[in-house]
Amino acid sequence: MPRPTARVLTLLELLQSGGTRTVAELADRLGVEGRTVRRYVDQLIDLDVPVESVRGRYGGYRLAPGYRLPPLMLSDDEALAVLLGLVAGRRAGLTTTQHTASETASAKIRRVLPKHIARRLDTLLEALAFTDRPGEFDTPDAGVLLTIADAVRHCRPVSIRYTDRDGRRSERTLHAYGIVAHSGRWYVTGKDARIGEDRTFRLDRIADARTLPGSFEAPVGPGPAQRVLSGFATAEYRHEVTLRIHGTVEQIRAHLPVSVASLEEHEPAADQDRATERWLRVELRAERLDWLPPVLASLDRPFVIERPDELRDLVIALADRLASHARRA
């Protein structure tokens, strides 16, 4: 039979799951009588855990949203999941505020882990390897992230102070549709109210966010993630590239994903399989062109360069170099 102290901790865990719990429900879960539940509640209150008594037909006990966070209790599996999440998030660049926040959070959890679990975790981390190097990313401010998330949830406009990639600062009113994590960075997508067009902003470049009065209707159609990827493919860069590639959608997307290029698909004829190879138009924008010839070579499909001519010259130069290397004894 569990000791009284174990039951008190179980009671706390039940209350931490949220909502109001009736005395009858708690007594049944703990395997005790109602008066014993009340005694356990008194013990939690003596420990400064803010437990409230709720009167009425559906009354019982709940944790107050008070001034102090009750002790956090994690099972062995939960503690392992949290720590691995912190490690993976730090590697992927998907952390907020300072880099040290993740480290101090990990240290606090590790300090209270049972020794056998801590040893197993250390063994796992020693055996764990990543296929990519950890990136160095600028992280968004936690306050900005939470403010925009609240604006997304309640469809309220938000004022942001933004610095673009060229260092230009501006203040914008944004109807934010959603927050997206992509390639180690945080983005928010929404309509820029001043110009009336959809835009994507990096959250780490937002210096301040303030919710404004009013509301807006969330748009129908593609979700936030699809909007962000499409925005990347059509962003304003120095070069506009148009190609025609003979292949399947899957073959092309394996080398030119949605975040890089837009693909004009034509409905196949009634007697034609969707996976059948055919000529498809691919459009993308790029600041530089030197990365494209190797991609087209690895694609290994017939292609036609419609524009720009500079890309055609770069592909020919790469082909000449490869042919020259292949002829060497």
Side-chain angles (χ1 to χ4, degrees), residues 267-297:
E267 281 296 320
D271 58 346
Q272 187 180 33
D273 185 1
R274 183 174 292 273
T276 301
E277 295 179 1
R278 57 190 187 278
W279 287 99
L280 297 172
R281 183 179 298 276
V282 178
E283 294 185 348
L284 60 98
R285 303 189 182 193
E287 194 67 22
R288 297 171 54 185
L289 295 173
D290 54 357
W291 61 274
L292 260 174
V295 171
L296 293 174

Side-chain angles (χ1 to χ4, degrees), residues 71-192:
L72 180 65
M73 296 191 302
L74 297 174
S75 67
D76 294 347
D77 287 343
E78 290 170 338
L80 181 61
V82 170
L83 287 170
L84 286 179
L86 289 170
V87 171
R90 191 163 61 240
R91 289 281 309 200
L94 298 179
T95 56
T96 59
T97 65
Q98 299 297 322
H99 177 72
T100 54
S102 177
E103 295 178 342
T104 55
S106 299
K108 288 178 180 178
I109 295 175
R110 291 173 69 98
R111 276 201 299 269
V112 297
L113 283 179
K115 289 184 177 179
H116 72 285
I117 296 297
R119 285 196 297 268
R120 294 178 66 186
L121 176 65
D122 289 338
T123 300
L124 172 61
L125 294 179
E126 289 174 2
L128 182 63
F130 292 85
T131 57
D132 59 343
R133 302 179 191 176
E136 291 295 330
F137 300 109
D138 294 326
T139 54
D141 178 80
V144 167
L145 182 63
L146 294 174
T147 297
I148 293 179
D150 185 72
V152 169
R153 180 178 183 182
H154 296 99
C155 293
R156 297 184 62 186
V158 61
S159 173
I160 62 172
R161 286 193 291 115
Y162 190 72
T163 303
D164 66 16
R165 63 186 177 189
D166 296 321
R168 295 187 296 262
R169 294 188 176 95
S170 61
E171 185 162 341
R172 304 164 184 256
T173 297
L174 181 67
H175 294 175
Y177 305 150
I179 295 172
V180 178
H182 173 71
S183 295
R185 296 196 189 279
W186 296 89
Y187 298 89
V188 57
T189 182
K191 184 172 75 172
D192 188 323

